[in-house]
Amino acid sequence: MSAFDHRKPPADPATDAPPQRNAAFGLPAATALVVGSVIGTGVFALPSALAPYGPIALVAFVLVTVGALALAVTFGKLSERVPGSGGPYVYAREAFGEFAGFLTAWSYWITAWAGNAAIAVAWVGYVEVFVNKGHHTGASVAIALVGLWVPAIVNLAGVRSIGAFQVVTTVLKFLPLAFMATIGLLFVKSGNFGAFNASGGSALGAVSAAGAIALFSYIGLETASVAAGRVRDPKRNVPRATVYGTLACAAIYLLGTLAVFGTVPHARLGSSAAPFTDAVNNIAGGHWAGNLVAVAAIVSGLGALNGWTLICAEMPMAAARDGLFPAAFAGTRGRSEVPAFGILSATVLASVLTVVSYTSFTRVFTEIVLLSVLTAVVPYLVSAAAQLSWLVRRGREELDRRRLVRDTAVTVLALAFSYWSIQGSGYQTVYYGLFTILLGIPAYVWLKRPNARTVAEAAADTAPPPAATGPERHEPPLKAARTRRPAGLPTVLRRVLTPRHPH
């Protein structure tokens, strides 16, 4: 069911698409949302992070790219079958019930605003190429807050502003990255690569360690499905935007990283704070080209923050309208239905986290960044499990054998990739991640208290009764069963634990 129309009875996701009342994103804007959310400031430092492993890191990058594409295709299939904003939340709720939907939305919400804080801090480093070169803490905090609040203001201005801003920032950030991924390859020298496996350990260990870093780069590939209610013709455009955006990012990542590896000597690359800047300077000579890369990084960071600020509000809004998030998140403002509370609350939380990271708890902030990645992978895993569950239950009825085998193989690959991503986050991050996710259980209990009412129920109570157009018609039992909301985990457990006595 669409997150934007809760006055109608639940629709069968297999046959009915919800109305898109303010669908301002076409295919280009939706694709730009994916690219802009995936490619932030991290890509500009990625080659240095992978350099200690040597060129074998590119093998890991290819494997991670295959897993990311499997996830992109899986999200595309899910968006065709279960339309409406909310992405992983909607898929989890449709497949496994309210409790799974809530935990998915809770986990993803943490990812979104904590990730914004991480992007803002990385973004400051590129801004300080031109200002605050002494890296004074007060000025750095002020720059970071500007980076967080400018995208928030753009989002509050309305959906059309978001789409236009996203397209412009995506094009501007793509130009220097595309330069390295194309022209930069012409300047590659084999002597710059160094030893194939520079880690000093086994090849398998190097691939796993490098993969754990590389997989961080694809967080955000699902953003078109999260904002599907804002996309025109979502059943067609959301799958395409997800796959096209992921493919574009993959090409930039792989070819750009290869070009940097081949244009910056390995001995210098590992200690470089701005590897793309060093690579462009080696190609063009001087330092002017490196300044252009810094500008591109600034634009890239703003584009990523713009997209993620929208996502910070879209999923909680969908969950709130189902009674699975505080009701304040369900409110919208203006004709564009801007989720103002979700945008403002996420930006305030990200601002607080940013200030804390600069003043007291830098190491804690690093752990929170890793935690935000883990909390993003959990919704990925649940989404892949939701698709696999549908294939097992309904696939034989609705798909031919060839398509069923293909979709099952892609979904299993996406599921395995998600497990690998969690394993690569490290034991400590998994421990804190599980603890943070389970903190949502008290919030769920409070939301499900007896006097709580969903936004949909309140709207149904105030809506006028439908006009009588003929004899009363009763819905067939099969249709009623198909549109009934799936039972949540607490209900399932209660049914299992309650003994049944034969008559």
Side-chain angles (χ1 to χ4, degrees):
M1 182 166 58
S2 170
F4 298 101
D5 193 352
H6 287 267
R7 296 187 180 185
K8 296 183 179 182
D12 182 355
T15 60
D16 299 321
Q20 306 299 315
R21 295 192 292 175
N22 289 290
F25 288 178
L27 180 59
T31 304
L33 178 64
V34 174
V35 174
S37 300
V38 172
I39 300 181
T41 52
V43 63
F44 292 93
L46 190 64
S48 295
L50 296 175
Y53 305 99
I56 197 172
L58 296 172
V59 176
F61 219 146
V62 171
L63 296 177
V64 169
T65 298
V66 172
L69 288 172
L71 274 173
V73 173
T74 300
F75 275 112
K77 297 295 182 183
L78 284 164
S79 66
E80 289 179 354
R81 187 168 53 81
V82 189
S85 283
Y89 155 72
V90 176
Y91 310 146
R93 183 176 179 273
E94 187 267 345
F96 305 121
E98 289 186 344
F99 186 65
F102 167 78
L103 283 184
T104 299
W106 176 268
S107 179
Y108 198 87
W109 181 64
I110 295 171
T111 296
W113 60 260
N116 274 1
I119 294 171
V121 171
W123 180 77
V124 168
Y126 293 99
V127 175
E128 290 182 341
V129 170
F130 305 102
V131 298
N132 191 35
K133 296 182 180 181
H135 306 294
H136 301 292
T137 300
S140 296
V141 170
I143 294 170
L145 293 179
V146 169
L148 287 170
W149 283 97
V150 166
I153 293 170
V154 172
N155 274 265
L156 291 170
V159 177
R160 295 187 183 278
S161 300
I162 302 169
F165 187 84
Q166 201 65 33
V167 171
V168 171
T169 56
T170 299
V171 170
L172 291 177
K173 83 169 66 174
F174 232 70
L175 293 177
L177 294 174
F179 172 82
M180 284 304 301
T182 53
I183 305 300
L185 294 174
L186 301 177
F187 295 86
V188 167
K189 297 179 180 179
S190 59
N192 289 328
F193 285 100
F196 181 70
N197 180 7
S199 67
S202 67
L204 181 60
V207 168
S208 298
I213 297 173
L215 64 88
F216 296 163
S217 306
Y218 286 103
I219 300 298
L221 60 88
E222 73 291 339
T223 47
S225 67
V226 176
R230 306 287 189 181
V231 179
R232 291 192 295 270
D233 192 7
K235 293 187 71 173
R236 177 177 181 271
N237 286 334
V238 170
R240 292 187 177 191
T242 302
V243 175
Y244 293 167
T246 305
L247 283 171
C249 293
I252 288 294
Y253 282 154
L254 290 171
L255 297 178
T257 303
L258 174 63
V260 173
F261 265 71
T263 53
V264 180
H266 182 263
R268 288 177 48 202
L269 184 59
S271 59
S272 174
F276 272 84
T277 297
D278 291 342
V280 173
N281 283 338
N282 287 347
I283 293 172
H287 296 282
W288 63 271
N291 289 339
L292 291 178
V293 173
V295 171
I298 293 171
V299 173
S300 179
L302 284 174
L305 286 167
N306 181 64
W308 277 107
T309 300
L310 171 66
I311 299 306
C312 282
E314 285 291 326
M315 185 179 291
M317 181 172 65
R321 292 188 172 184
D322 290 333
L324 297 179
F325 236 70
F329 286 90
T332 58
R333 181 181 61 85
R335 289 185 300 175
S336 296
E337 294 189 333
V338 176
F341 181 82
I343 292 171
L344 291 173
S345 61
T347 306
V348 168
L349 287 169
S351 299
V352 171
L353 185 58
T354 301
V355 172
V356 169
S357 72
Y358 269 109
T359 55
S360 302
F361 304 111
T362 304
R363 180 58 187 168
V364 172
F365 176 73
T366 302
E367 296 299 329
I368 292 176
V369 171
L370 293 174
L371 180 65
S372 69
V373 174
L374 175 67
T375 52
V377 172
V378 170
Y380 290 176
L381 190 151
V382 175
S383 298
Q387 175 68 357
L388 185 61
S389 174
W390 182 85
L391 289 170
V392 171
R393 292 184 291 107
R394 302 281 296 275
R396 291 180 180 273
E397 302 172 11
E398 302 191 18
L399 302 176
D400 59 67
R401 184 174 181 180
R402 182 176 179 180
R403 185 177 175 186
L404 176 61
V405 171
R406 182 193 64 193
D407 288 359
T408 301
V410 171
T411 305
V412 169
L413 178 59
L415 193 66
F417 174 70
S418 299
Y419 278 116
W420 184 48
S421 300
I422 292 175
Q423 181 272 334
S425 298
Y427 294 108
Q428 186 175 17
T429 302
V430 172
Y431 169 79
Y432 286 117
L434 178 62
F435 180 78
T436 304
I437 292 171
L438 294 181
L439 280 178
I441 292 179
Y444 178 79
V445 172
W446 178 76
L447 289 167
K448 301 303 291 183
R449 66 194 187 280
N451 62 335
R453 302 174 69 214
T454 68
V455 174
E457 290 169 347
D461 289 346
T462 58
T469 56
E472 183 179 358
R473 298 179 64 184
H474 297 281
E475 189 179 51
L478 180 61
K479 178 68 175 179
R482 191 167 61 242
T483 59
R484 187 181 298 122
R485 180 181 294 180
L489 182 59
T491 303
V492 173
L493 292 176
R494 185 171 65 251
R495 290 174 181 174
V496 171
L497 296 175
T498 303
R500 296 184 179 182
H501 301 285
H503 296 287

